[in-house]
Amino acid sequence: MKVAVVGATGAVGREMTRVLDERRFPLDELLLFASPRSEGVRIAFAGEQVTVHTLHERWFDGVDIALTSAGAALARQILPAAAAAGTVCVDNSSAFRLDPDVPLVIPEINPDALAGHTGIVANGNCTAITALMPLGPLHRTFGLAFLVTSSYQSVSGSGMKGIRELADQVEKLHGLEETLGHPDPAALPVGDVFARPIAFNVVPMCERPDPDGSGSTTEELKMAAECRKVLGLPDLPVAATAVRVPVAVGHGVSIYARFERPASAHAARDVLSAAPGVRVVDDLDEGRFPTPLDAAGLDDVLVGRIRQGHDDLKALLLFAAGDNLRKGAALNAVQIAELLART
């Protein structure tokens, strides 16, 4: 089997290559592609150094499965031809996620969605995956009827440039922490990635405003639409708020979910403890609860703060944290490829 990674030098692309290696994906040849500026870069894989090549018009010749993380615009440009030539493309961008003819897959939740794919499979939004990992098994048990999420998203969600902007602003403000109680707006560091200073701050603006003028951001729209598609609930009411926080890696999601049937915190812990890819970390008295830093580098999504909705036996509140580069992107894509390799 010949496998390609497109966008191989980006944060997600490098993680894809690492996960393929760690999980010993059954391939005979690995091809790595990126933009011309990465031509000749070498990336470690299976004890060797694999050279990155510039993406070209027939990059997919002979490729069985391609894992792509190169942005929505490029995905729309290059993937249809690859799929038509017989390469199955697992795409990490937003380009095809809501296409009714393209399955949007989280292997632990809806693997059957792969059936009948036509050569392109969408990998979900990293924050939606973090929320859906606990919501999937809870929905199967109790029947999800209503959902509110607030996500706390790390700067790596904006790529390496987001991480560098946070580090640069922290350095510039070092020693000036006491002045932040009465800051001079003109003296605060300004970056190119985030709408406000991200160091020592939170920014309730992820991605872009909804072009239709709803007041939501595109990231919030993704959470709602992808939860509906993955769970097969096209009419599910969803209210989502997305906030960028000064964390390097790992997204957290606060969840309020109302179900069709009574759902106690105890029963929810039992369901989630048995769910693949979920790790329950939930004991306030012992100081056990999920954080993005705890989840960084892990395959599992951590879930805790599980409690009953106030005076509502059908409602639960919980908090989930997951590595947005790993389960939220690279690992989920490789797991989809593993399912494809078995068919």
Side-chain angles (χ1 to χ4, degrees):
M1 180 177 292
K2 186 182 290 188
V3 173
V5 176
V6 178
T9 56
V12 173
R14 287 181 180 272
E15 191 70 11
M16 284 175 171
T17 302
R18 186 178 298 114
V19 173
L20 286 168
D21 194 2
E22 290 175 358
R23 294 173 72 89
R24 299 186 177 183
F25 187 87
L27 59 85
D28 300 297
E29 184 179 357
L30 178 66
L31 303 176
L32 302 179
F33 296 103
S35 64
R37 66 178 177 271
S38 295
E39 174 74 34
V41 170
R42 295 169 69 83
I43 294 177
F45 178 78
E48 299 180 358
Q49 296 291 318
V50 181
T51 301
V52 177
H53 296 288
T54 301
L55 193 69
H56 55 85
E57 186 176 355
R58 298 294 303 181
W59 64 271
F60 48 79
D61 282 343
V63 172
D64 298 290
I65 296 176
L67 307 181
T68 63
S69 183
L74 185 59
R76 294 187 188 99
Q77 179 182 340
I78 68 171
L79 296 194
T87 299
V88 183
C89 304
V90 182
D91 181 42
N92 192 61
S93 81
S94 61
F96 301 99
R97 288 175 186 157
L98 301 184
D99 186 323
D101 297 322
V102 174
L104 175 64
V105 178
I106 301 176
E108 296 91 340
I109 298 175
N110 64 334
D112 293 344
L114 274 176
H117 73 80
T118 57
I120 299 176
V121 179
N123 200 31
N125 172 273
C126 49
T127 316
I129 289 175
T130 300
L132 283 163
M133 286 298 291
L135 284 171
L138 291 173
H139 167 59
R140 284 194 294 269
T141 304
F142 305 114
L144 185 61
F146 179 82
L147 177 64
V148 178
T149 68
S150 294
S151 59
Y152 309 93
Q153 304 189 22
S154 67
V155 294
S156 61
S158 295
M160 285 303 302
K161 60 185 182 296
I163 296 176
R164 286 193 290 267
E165 186 161 301
L166 171 61
D168 179 65
Q169 292 183 5
V170 169
E171 183 177 355
K172 287 179 178 177
L173 291 171
H174 179 66
L176 302 175
E177 290 83 358
E178 291 186 8
T179 70
L180 297 178
H182 301 278
D184 175 5
L188 292 174
V190 178
D192 297 325
V193 180
F194 305 112
R196 296 288 187 279
I198 189 63
F200 306 105
N201 200 15
V202 299
V203 180
M205 171 68 183
C206 292
E207 286 204 348
R208 302 172 302 281
D210 176 12
D212 291 336
S214 69
S216 295
T217 66
T218 51
E219 183 73 4
E220 292 157 354
L221 297 176
K222 288 177 187 177
M223 174 68 84
E226 293 185 30
C227 284
R228 295 182 185 117
K229 184 170 181 177
V230 170
L231 297 176
L233 298 172
D235 299 319
L236 177 69
V238 181
T241 300
V243 181
R244 193 71 70 186
V245 296
V247 172
V249 175
H251 291 350
V253 185
S254 172
I255 297 170
Y256 174 88
R258 195 169 193 280
F259 299 92
E260 295 172 352
R261 297 178 287 280
S264 70
H266 177 76
R269 288 189 193 96
D270 286 345
V271 169
L272 294 172
S273 294
V278 172
R279 187 183 308 181
V280 175
V281 183
D282 191 30
D283 190 333
L284 276 184
D285 292 337
E286 297 294 328
R288 299 181 69 245
F289 44 81
T291 73
L293 195 58
D294 294 324
L298 298 183
D299 289 352
D300 291 342
V301 169
L302 308 182
V303 182
R305 298 301 321 278
I306 304 166
R307 57 209 190 275
Q308 194 83 57
H310 181 65
D311 293 333
D312 190 343
L313 298 181
K314 294 183 177 181
L316 291 171
L317 295 97
L318 56 144
F319 189 84
D323 186 325
N324 54 299
L325 300 179
R326 199 163 175 90
K327 180 55 184 172
L331 173 62
N332 200 74
V334 173
Q335 288 175 309
I336 292 171
E338 289 171 342
L339 291 177
L340 292 167
R342 297 188 194 119
T343 60

